[in-house]
Amino acid sequence: MAHNQPPIVHVEGKLRRITTSGLDVPVENETTYRSVAASGHEINLEGIRKGRDYKNLRALLRGHGVSHHDPGKVFYPDQLLRRIMTRERVLEELNRMEERKDTSHIFSSSCTVSWYADQIAPLEELEPDIANGVQNAMETDTETLEHAKSGSKRYLKIFAILLLCQFKDSIKKFIDAGVCDQDLPLVRCNEGPGKSGLALRSRPHQKLQCFQNFKESNLDQFECNQYQFLVPYFCLSSNESIAVRHTKYFQRTILPWTGNDLRRENSGGYGHIYCKKIHYFSHGFHSVKQVGAGNGWFAVKMITTKQRDFQNERDMLQLFSGKHDHLINILMTYTLEGNNYLIFPWADCDLESYWKQTSPPYDPWTKLMRPDPMHWISKQILGIVSAVHKLHNPDHLHLVEDKRYAMHGDLKPENILWFKGNREADGILVVGDLGISSIHRKESRSNIPNREVPFSPDYRPPECDQEGGVISRAFDIWTLGCLLLEMITWCLGGWNMVEEFERKRMRVPYLGVRSNIYFDVQKAQDGGEVIMVKEAVIEWMAALHAHEGCTKYFHDLLDIIHNNMLVVLSKGKDRISSGGLLEKIREIDRRVSEREYGHLACPTKRLYGRPIAVKIKVNQYARERIDNFKGILGTYDGRAVVSKTPSEMKEVD
């Protein structure tokens, strides 16, 4: 057998070879078709069906189990098991058993080889997801519960386990007792000292008689081996009323992780994120665009906080999953050993890492924007803004009478994910981590700051310190403005320039502490406090206008950020809505391919003037900070505009 070639499978009626980067190399010759376990061993299906190239079915099973990424673990996806234990091979094994003296006793005029084959490998076909193992190790699952109760009994897995345990002639006892694949996993039954056995989960105190000849070591072997054949099949929901499938698995379930674990792990939002490779035969996500862009790797997020945090993130994700190319797709969720998990496509990196490792579109040698990268950046900015607009206006939810909206709440470079992909040279940026997002009614929005909400300190908007400030869509517009300003900075000067911008913001203390936050709180001359965009931020935007590489596209984008996004809310001024912002971004994106607009530098001196200060009433959180740093807080000596009242702040949309 060959050990070096990657597997070949049928995809859309064609033969294609599985490689580490996905399905790519087409295979023209039908005779070369192979079914391959992740271990790299190939199975010549044609040869084995004729009884050649293998000793017996047990040896075939032992030689072609999938190696789990945890050393010592082996498992059999349902698709692979069916390819190994075809009806023809089962018939061959049964014929051998009928010919042997030690196993021929199970056959009779009524229990013929064909009769056993009908029980073990029936010709009746199951629904694809069921056949692939969606019910495996399922403790509870509302979507497939009825499917689990219906259908004829099957004994393919029972027979496979008995083969490995070398008790294959016990298959008759299992069939007579009706203990079938659907009953797995069986559980330990303790009737007293030295009288342990296995039982059905529905009758855990009633020992099954089909194990009466098994020694304790054989029982242990059966109990352990059964989980190798109960590996879950992860797939999208097939039920229109359930957007995202959720399954609770038994404690000892072996999950279908294969390959070398990349050990790329990090924490984000409310959870810990692991990078995993799911065996090709153990998931149905192959057609999902973001999965293809992730090259077959998946992000598995374990929620480390309360159940309601998991439910909130799951609910938000399932409302928007698949609704926008630039919003992260949730594929499935599950519970194992009391922990809750979410499965996503794996992104190559986040936006901050992308900035660090990628050259910006501006070429300082030619003093031009490189066209292809510039077009890509513009498309990604449009995509991100469009994704936020989708969150803010969930028209697909048809919430007409009960007007609600969604918001992200934590837009920042670390939560913008970059999927490299195979077809798009520069991949795609996707808004991720909806862990603190939620659907809001006006009356349900909480006052800010909410100490339980882990929004980014440097991107937090000014209303976090204002009396009456609430979570609103305007919150996202501010944080998106911060992100876009850093995006322009990177485009013109790369990561070094992003770091320089951060240092300039850090020079101005915020409530007595050096911070890279975008606004400042100062004392008013006539008492009280004023709040404003940091002068360092305004000066930075002016400096970007004067940068040698600044194009008309960036001039316009900077004006949008300054005039409409990084705005302190006041009596006469609100931030732009996502719809209005999307319209403006679409307009500049339409022109980015024009050489004089998107490629040629045209630096200009732009004077924005001093930041507009707003006289505010600070909330309790800010008051405590101010009282602790009275001697450090700066004094504003200019004119300030009137703030919204606390009741008006609560009405901000």
Side-chain angles (χ1 to χ4, degrees):
M1 296 185 187
H3 295 271
N4 299 320
Q5 290 295 317
I8 303 168
V9 296
H10 271 115
V11 179
E12 297 178 351
K14 297 180 179 179
L15 290 170
R16 301 187 71 83
R17 187 179 294 281
I18 306 172
T19 69
T20 55
S21 61
L23 290 172
D24 49 13
V25 184
V27 181
E28 303 297 338
N29 189 348
E30 177 70 26
T31 61
T32 64
Y33 174 61
R34 301 286 188 270
S35 170
V36 185
S39 60
H41 296 93
E42 295 193 1
I43 306 170
N44 186 321
L45 299 182
E46 183 65 24
I48 292 175
R49 187 165 62 248
K50 293 178 180 178
R52 299 193 303 267
D53 300 331
Y54 77 106
K55 183 179 179 181
N56 53 43
L57 199 47
R58 179 176 183 270
L60 185 65
L61 279 168
R62 285 171 57 85
H64 293 90
V66 176
S67 296
H68 196 272
H69 80 57
D70 288 344
K73 285 186 180 179
V74 174
F75 66 91
Y76 298 86
D78 281 35
Q79 286 191 58
L80 179 61
L81 181 63
R82 291 198 308 273
R83 290 167 189 258
I84 295 173
M85 295 187 61
T86 62
R87 186 179 174 89
E88 290 82 0
R89 289 177 217 137
V90 169
L91 281 167
E92 285 189 16
E93 190 67 30
L94 291 168
N95 281 320
R96 287 194 180 99
M97 291 172 62
E98 188 179 33
E99 294 170 359
R100 291 177 59 92
K101 291 182 179 180
D102 57 339
T103 54
S104 61
H105 63 277
I106 70 169
F107 297 92
S108 65
S109 59
S110 58
C111 299
T112 62
V113 166
S114 296
W115 180 83
Y116 278 111
D118 289 340
Q119 314 306 310
I120 297 169
L123 297 174
E124 176 191 1
E125 294 185 0
L126 296 171
E127 294 181 19
D129 287 350
I130 304 298
N132 290 334
V134 73
Q135 297 176 355
N136 287 349
M138 179 182 67
E139 189 171 325
T140 56
D141 189 301
T142 56
E143 181 178 1
T144 57
L145 186 58
E146 292 305 314
H147 288 299
K149 294 178 180 178
S150 62
S152 60
K153 293 185 175 183
R154 293 167 180 262
Y155 297 86
L156 186 68
K157 293 178 183 179
I158 293 289
F159 191 49
I161 300 168
L162 292 174
L163 283 169
L164 292 181
C165 294
Q166 295 184 297
F167 268 84
K168 59 186 176 182
D169 58 324
S170 293
I171 186 62
K172 186 178 188 304
K173 295 178 182 179
F174 281 82
I175 296 174
D176 289 346
V179 179
C180 62
D181 294 352
Q182 293 93 317
D183 293 316
L184 299 174
L186 304 179
V187 296
R188 276 287 179 171
C189 171
N190 293 305
E191 296 182 337
K195 295 184 178 180
S196 64
L198 294 178
L200 298 173
R201 283 170 282 124
S202 58
R203 295 191 291 274
H205 302 297
Q206 184 176 336
K207 185 165 64 173
L208 292 169
Q209 294 304 307
C210 46
F211 289 102
Q212 62 185 7
N213 293 330
F214 280 57
K215 297 178 181 179
E216 191 67 26
S217 59
N218 302 134
L219 290 173
D220 290 340
Q221 189 180 12
F222 187 100
E223 185 185 18
C224 180
N225 286 347
Q226 65 180 336
Y227 288 98
Q228 298 178 4
F229 299 92
L230 295 175
V231 176
Y233 177 76
F234 297 142
C235 62
L236 301 171
S237 173
S238 58
N239 189 331
E240 293 183 0
S241 65
I242 301 176
V244 178
R245 184 190 300 278
H246 178 79
T247 303
K248 185 176 181 181
Y249 293 119
F250 290 105
Q251 185 172 354
R252 297 176 63 180
T253 299
I254 298 174
L255 297 177
W257 312 141
T258 64
N260 295 321
D261 193 341
L262 297 183
R263 300 297 175 190
R264 294 186 290 182
E265 304 174 3
N266 56 66
S267 298
Y270 290 122
H272 197 79
I273 301 171
Y274 305 86
C275 178
K276 300 293 185 183
K277 175 79 81 172
I278 303 175
H279 187 268
Y280 184 86
F281 289 154
S282 294
H283 74 86
F285 306 134
H286 305 288
S287 62
V288 178
K289 184 177 180 181
Q290 289 178 11
V291 170
N295 292 323
W297 289 94
F298 294 85
V300 180
K301 182 176 182 179
M302 182 177 72
I303 302 300
T304 55
T305 54
K306 301 174 183 177
Q307 172 70 24
R308 63 181 175 85
D309 296 328
F310 165 71
Q311 194 62 46
N312 178 64
E313 182 164 4
R314 182 177 184 274
D315 290 347
M316 276 298 298
L317 286 162
Q318 70 177 351
L319 287 176
F320 293 95
S321 185
K323 303 300 182 183
H324 198 287
D325 285 346
H326 292 267
L327 284 174
I328 189 68
N329 280 337
I330 183 172
L331 303 171
M332 184 183 156
T333 65
Y334 66 91
T335 301
L336 179 63
E337 297 183 350
N339 296 315
N340 293 309
Y341 298 84
L342 306 99
I343 302 178
F344 304 94
W346 178 264
D348 287 72
C349 64
D350 60 37
L351 184 57
E352 182 176 291
S353 298
Y354 179 83
W355 285 342
K356 291 178 181 178
Q357 67 190 32
T358 309
S359 298
Y362 176 62
D363 186 343
W365 299 103
T366 63
K367 295 186 174 11
L368 292 172
M369 286 290 165
R370 291 178 288 134
D372 288 345
M374 188 60 232
H375 295 168
W376 182 81
I377 287 292
S378 180
K379 291 298 179 188
Q380 301 314 304
I381 290 174
L382 175 61
I384 292 169
V385 172
S386 178
V388 172
H389 179 63
K390 185 68 174 179
L391 285 173
H392 287 190
N393 300 273
D395 53 346
H396 64 287
L397 301 182
H398 306 296
L399 301 173
V400 179
E401 296 181 1
D402 184 13
K403 181 63 177 176
R404 303 189 192 187
Y405 65 86
M407 60 163 290
H408 189 280
D410 199 22
L411 291 169
K412 58 183 178 180
E414 296 95 318
N415 286 339
I416 305 297
L417 307 176
W418 177 61
F419 289 88
K420 169 60 178 171
N422 293 320
R423 297 181 181 178
E424 298 176 65
D426 295 303
I428 184 173
L429 295 178
V430 172
V431 177
D433 202 343
L434 303 187
I436 64 172
S437 306
S438 59
I439 295 286
H440 289 279
R441 298 185 184 93
K442 276 193 175 182
E443 63 271 19
S444 71
R445 298 174 293 167
S446 62
N447 288 338
I448 296 174
N450 182 345
R451 295 170 190 259
E452 294 183 0
V453 177
F455 48 73
S456 303
D458 49 340
Y459 275 20
R460 61 198 294 267
E463 54 264 35
C464 289
D465 290 341
Q466 292 178 253
E467 186 69 32
V470 294
I471 296 174
S472 69
R473 287 180 283 196
F475 188 112
D476 279 345
I477 297 300
W478 174 278
T479 57
L480 183 55
C482 298
L483 187 145
L484 292 180
L485 185 52
E486 292 187 16
M487 177 77 85
I488 298 171
T489 300
W490 173 79
C491 286
L492 293 174
W495 178 247
N496 289 338
M497 198 163 161
V498 174
E499 289 185 309
E500 182 185 350
F501 180 32
E502 182 176 4
R503 286 192 294 270
K504 286 187 179 294
R505 299 198 309 277
M506 292 281 287
R507 291 174 187 170
V508 180
Y510 160 73
L511 298 184
V513 178
R514 293 195 179 277
S515 167
N516 60 358
I517 200 166
Y518 277 71
F519 66 89
D520 190 19
V521 178
Q522 295 185 9
K523 293 186 293 186
Q525 285 185 322
D526 58 352
E529 289 81 27
V530 295
I531 197 164
M532 70 198 79
V533 177
K534 275 185 177 179
E535 288 196 44
V537 173
I538 302 298
E539 292 170 356
W540 186 262
M541 285 192 275
L544 291 177
H545 279 293
H547 189 278
E548 64 177 11
C550 193
T551 63
K552 290 181 179 179
Y553 173 93
F554 286 125
H555 286 313
D556 287 346
L557 184 54
L558 284 165
D559 285 340
I560 293 170
I561 295 169
H562 177 272
N563 299 333
N564 305 109
M565 302 181 76
L566 296 186
V567 172
V568 180
L569 301 172
S570 65
K571 281 280 188 183
K573 187 70 173 178
D574 289 304
R575 291 179 203 128
I576 194 170
S577 68
S578 61
L581 177 62
L582 181 58
E583 186 176 340
K584 289 179 178 293
I585 298 298
R586 277 177 177 158
E587 179 57 33
I588 65 174
D589 177 68
R590 277 194 288 266
R591 299 187 58 193
V592 73
S593 59
E594 299 173 13
R595 191 168 185 269
E596 291 188 356
Y597 185 81
H599 307 160
L600 290 180
C602 55
T604 184
K605 187 175 182 180
R606 183 70 59 89
L607 297 176
Y608 280 124
R610 197 175 185 185
I612 297 173
V614 180
K615 186 73 177 290
I616 65 164
K617 183 177 181 180
V618 298
N619 58 26
Q620 182 180 353
Y621 173 77
R623 174 58 57 199
E624 292 173 359
R625 297 290 302 277
I626 290 171
D627 290 345
N628 289 332
F629 296 100
K630 281 183 178 178
I632 302 177
L633 204 63
T635 300
Y636 180 74
D637 58 1
R639 185 180 67 87
V641 301
V642 180
S643 171
K644 294 180 185 293
T645 66
S647 60
E648 288 173 334
M649 288 295 295
K650 291 178 181 179
E651 293 299 313
V652 170
D653 195 15

